Amino acid sequence: MLPGLGYFLLFHYGALAGNLIAFKEYVPFDGIWASPWVGTGNFQRMFVDEAFWAAVLNTVWIAVLQLVFYFPVPLALALLLHSLTRSSIRRFVQSVAYLPHFISWVIVVALFQQLLGDTGLLNSSLDGMGLSTVDIIGNPDAFRPLTVAQVIWKDAGWGTIIFLAALAQVDEQQYEAAAIDGAGPWRRFWHVTLPAIRPVVVLLLIMRLGEILSVGFEQMLLQRDAVGPEAAEIIDTFVYYQGIVGGDYGFAAAAGLFKGVIGALLVYAANKVAHRLGEQGVYK
Amino acid sequence: MEKPKPVTQAAKAVALAAVVLLVCVPFLVIVSTSLASTDEVVANGGWVLWPTQPSLDAYRDILDGGIVTHALGVSAGVTLVGTLLSLACTVTLAYALSRPGVFGGRPMLLLILFTFLFPPGMIPSFLLVKELGLLDSYASLVLPVLVNVFNLVVLRGFFQGIPEELYEAARLDGAGDWRVLFSVVLPLSKAALAVVGLFYAVAYWNSWFYASLYLESDHWPLQQVLRTYVVAGSGLTDATTGEGTISAPQTVQMAVLVIATVPILLVYPFLQKYFTKGVLTGAIKS
């Protein structure tokens, strides 16, 4: 167990300590420890930086869109799959639906480009039929719906797995009892199925809220060049461009630390709310 | 239960067919286009659904040595070594944390779970790798992501599900910790190991960001090459095939996409039957 533990100590706690750089001005020659302190200077700069707040706003926007439009899809899909009586069909659809989860974001983005880009499948078909083409990839206005569509394509199937597990644990006898009491399919769904999966739904919702500042870094970074920072800049890409690309390490680390602290606070708060509502939450 | 109404059944069938088609059609288009001849792709406006004269020209062009072949080797090597190292570290750690009464077990677990709640951040991680002198080494793709907390929790939960009597029986027979791990625990955990191994392998195979961060371009793995030449659209054909051979970029791009996807499609059917068993028994318990 020592190698594994060593890994956590070095690469997590070591790096965590490296967040000190947020309070320093990083000088490559001196390293993290010897670089001069600047106190909260990096944070002061950050709080008056318009680009930073634009990135925060974008992040929250995209997260909210994903919450509203992506979150219900796996649940709906799971309910649909669960209602199938033929298990062979169910297993086949499940296998197909899980698959995109294992495809890298590079491939997903390339796929969407090939299908929806200006020379892609959609537009060359439209062109062939004499219709005007639509610019979807590379259009900042279409970018937010596009990212939601990509997330749904990639992960909605995989997201069903946990709901299906919760549904599988519902006692078959409860359905039968409800049916005998005269409950139709809708009433059974409402009074048996939903209460059974409520804890899982709440749990996932909390985790999602806690990660509201983390919306697909790779997904955005891959497409930022095509649509420009106005549409695709999120906190993580802001950190990347300020720090790694721009070399302003202390400033970028401050933005990253800001995100980490807010994220941790959100998880903590959401978990508290879950306990108030009588749910189990992520931890006790 | 009574039979559902025909309308409901039809609606369900349509929805299911839509799911299957939405996943499968993009792959089909990619594979078909990569196999089509240049003329056909051009005539058809950039893509084909079913090639009339299949040809492997695009594959021959990119596998003729050069960037893609090298990147393929890098990806395969990093995936193989990384998965084995990650599995070894995760299994030993999960085993130790799954046994009751291990010295410092509880604080250690909390210490690890905390990293899940509070990740260190991109800049400090980058500077750490830099100060450790790992820049431009393949170790920088493996060491910083060696153990995944989710995988650890899954394995630990699975190990805890093994009946206590089996441990006791092995102890009575005089087996030490290593012996128990290898002769009792691991053989019983094949489903969980398969799934966790797949997760690691997929993560290593798919990773491109660390490569773009830590490696010089002549050491890039396949996904990063794909990103540069397909997503960002730089000229791959010139670099790999030299002068003279001109392949339709579309077929070549699609072929690189296929090469990057195929390994996953190959292992997937063998492992996906373990998903539910492996992931859920581990995750739900904890």
Side-chain angles (χ1 to χ4, degrees):
Chain A
M1 64 185 272
L2 281 178
L5 202 60
Y7 155 76
F8 277 102
L9 287 180
L10 179 59
F11 283 99
H12 277 278
Y13 286 90
L16 210 53
N19 270 309
L20 280 178
I21 203 67
F23 302 95
K24 291 183 169 195
E25 155 131 32
Y26 183 72
V27 181
F29 186 72
D30 294 338
I32 297 179
W33 300 110
S35 292
W37 292 94
V38 292
T40 55
N42 287 321
F43 288 92
Q44 285 170 8
R45 259 172 69 208
M46 181 178 88
F47 285 125
V48 296
D49 188 338
E50 272 174 34
F52 171 72
W53 289 112
V56 172
L57 197 67
N58 251 340
T59 310
V60 174
W61 241 115
I62 293 172
V64 168
L65 282 181
Q66 287 187 358
L67 202 61
V68 174
F69 293 100
Y70 165 74
F71 192 79
V73 180
L75 183 56
L77 197 56
L79 290 170
L80 174 68
L81 286 169
H82 185 68
S83 74
L84 295 181
T85 33
R86 290 262 286 282
S87 70
S88 56
I89 297 182
R90 186 170 75 204
R91 247 179 265 137
F92 171 72
V93 177
Q94 266 177 279
S95 310
V96 171
Y98 292 166
L99 182 61
H101 173 74
F102 296 95
I103 307 295
S104 77
W105 268 114
V106 180
I107 293 178
V108 174
V109 169
L111 253 173
F112 270 77
Q113 275 185 357
Q114 302 287 359
L115 298 178
L116 304 178
D118 26 291
T119 57
L121 193 149
L122 178 70
N123 276 335
S124 49
S125 313
L126 286 175
D127 205 32
M129 289 184 284
L131 299 168
S132 60
T133 56
V134 284
D135 180 19
I136 298 177
I137 307 286
N139 178 354
D141 298 325
F143 183 68
R144 283 173 186 164
L146 177 72
T147 61
V148 177
Q150 287 168 341
V151 171
I152 291 177
W153 189 83
K154 189 176 192 292
D155 279 330
W158 183 248
T160 61
I161 203 169
I162 188 149
F163 293 121
L164 282 172
L167 287 168
Q169 287 178 343
V170 181
D171 195 350
E172 209 44 54
Q173 289 180 348
Q174 287 192 28
Y175 283 111
E176 283 161 22
I180 290 168
D181 288 346
W186 279 110
R187 289 203 74 98
R188 289 202 297 267
F189 172 72
W190 196 252
H191 291 291
V192 182
T193 312
L194 278 189
I197 55 176
R198 204 177 75 147
V200 179
V201 176
V202 172
L203 176 84
L204 291 182
L205 206 54
I206 293 173
M207 285 169 63
R208 192 60 219 123
L209 286 173
E211 290 172 349
I212 201 150
L213 296 184
S214 305
V215 283
F217 169 64
E218 296 196 345
Q219 185 191 6
M220 303 306 157
L221 185 63
L222 283 166
Q223 300 181 86
R224 188 176 173 279
D225 288 341
V227 294
E230 292 79 19
E233 189 86 295
I234 55 170
I235 301 178
D236 287 327
T237 55
F238 181 80
V239 171
Y240 174 76
Y241 277 96
Q242 294 294 324
I244 311 282
V245 178
D248 199 348
Y249 291 105
F251 182 62
L257 190 59
F258 170 83
K259 188 199 137 192
V261 171
I262 301 279
L265 286 177
L266 281 173
V267 175
Y268 180 76
N271 211 40
K272 270 267 175 329
V273 173
H275 287 296
R276 282 277 157 75
L277 295 174
E279 298 289 353
Q280 215 183 355
V282 185
Y283 55 86
K284 281 191 201 151
Chain B
M1 272 190 246
E2 74 270 40
K3 268 212 165 290
K5 295 185 194 102
V7 185
T8 337
Q9 272 191 317
K12 276 184 195 169
V14 170
L16 293 173
V19 170
V20 173
L21 286 179
L22 276 174
V23 174
C24 293
V25 168
F27 287 113
L28 181 67
V29 171
I30 300 290
V31 173
S32 303
T33 308
S34 76
L35 288 172
S37 68
T38 312
D39 298 341
E40 192 178 358
V41 172
V42 172
N44 212 359
W47 60 279
V48 285
L49 197 57
W50 197 255
T52 47
Q53 310 147 299
S55 88
L56 290 170
D57 288 353
Y59 292 91
R60 210 193 48 226
D61 284 353
I62 49 176
L63 291 177
D64 242 6
I67 298 179
V68 175
T69 323
H70 182 254
L72 202 58
V74 172
S75 282
V78 169
T79 303
L80 188 71
V81 175
T83 305
L84 290 178
L85 275 177
S86 287
L87 266 182
C89 291
T90 313
V91 163
T92 47
L93 195 57
Y95 174 67
L97 292 173
S98 74
R99 305 302 303 140
V102 170
F103 177 73
R106 181 89 192 147
M108 238 180 310
L109 186 66
L110 291 177
L111 201 75
I112 289 170
L113 291 180
F114 177 74
T115 64
F116 202 57
L117 185 69
F118 203 96
M122 187 193 315
I123 301 297
S125 304
F126 172 76
L127 294 179
L128 181 70
V129 168
K130 195 175 159 207
E131 299 207 349
L132 289 172
L134 292 176
L135 279 190
D136 209 26
S137 76
Y138 292 128
S140 67
L141 300 187
V142 175
L143 292 181
V145 290
L146 196 58
V147 179
N148 175 290
V149 176
F150 177 77
N151 290 343
L152 179 70
V153 168
V154 166
L155 269 186
R156 176 175 171 268
F158 206 90
F159 291 168
Q160 283 177 331
I162 295 171
E164 195 58 33
E165 292 80 32
L166 285 175
Y167 287 107
E168 279 164 21
R171 289 269 178 221
L172 283 181
D173 290 345
D177 268 323
W178 288 106
R179 196 65 210 277
V180 173
L181 180 61
F182 280 105
S183 317
V184 180
V185 177
L186 292 187
L188 288 171
S189 311
K190 281 195 193 113
L193 288 175
V195 171
V196 168
L198 173 75
F199 286 169
Y200 275 128
V202 166
Y204 282 119
W205 180 261
N206 280 345
S207 111
W208 58 273
F209 177 66
Y210 294 115
S212 82
L213 214 53
Y214 300 138
L215 297 187
E216 298 289 337
S217 61
D218 50 345
H219 293 149
W220 274 349
L222 192 56
Q223 303 281 344
Q224 176 61 14
V225 168
L226 186 64
R227 185 222 173 172
T228 315
Y229 296 109
V230 179
V231 177
S234 317
L236 176 73
T237 36
D238 309 343
T240 48
T241 57
E243 287 158 274
T245 32
I246 297 162
S247 219
Q250 215 88 10
T251 57
V252 171
Q253 288 185 353
M254 302 277 194
V256 185
L257 263 176
V258 172
I259 292 173
T261 318
V262 157
I264 290 174
L265 296 184
L266 285 182
V267 293
Y268 181 76
F270 297 102
L271 293 168
Q272 59 100 359
K273 63 176 181 224
Y274 295 120
F275 283 165
T276 329
K277 215 163 100 196
V279 179
L280 294 167
T281 36
I284 284 208
K285 273 205 194 89
S286 34

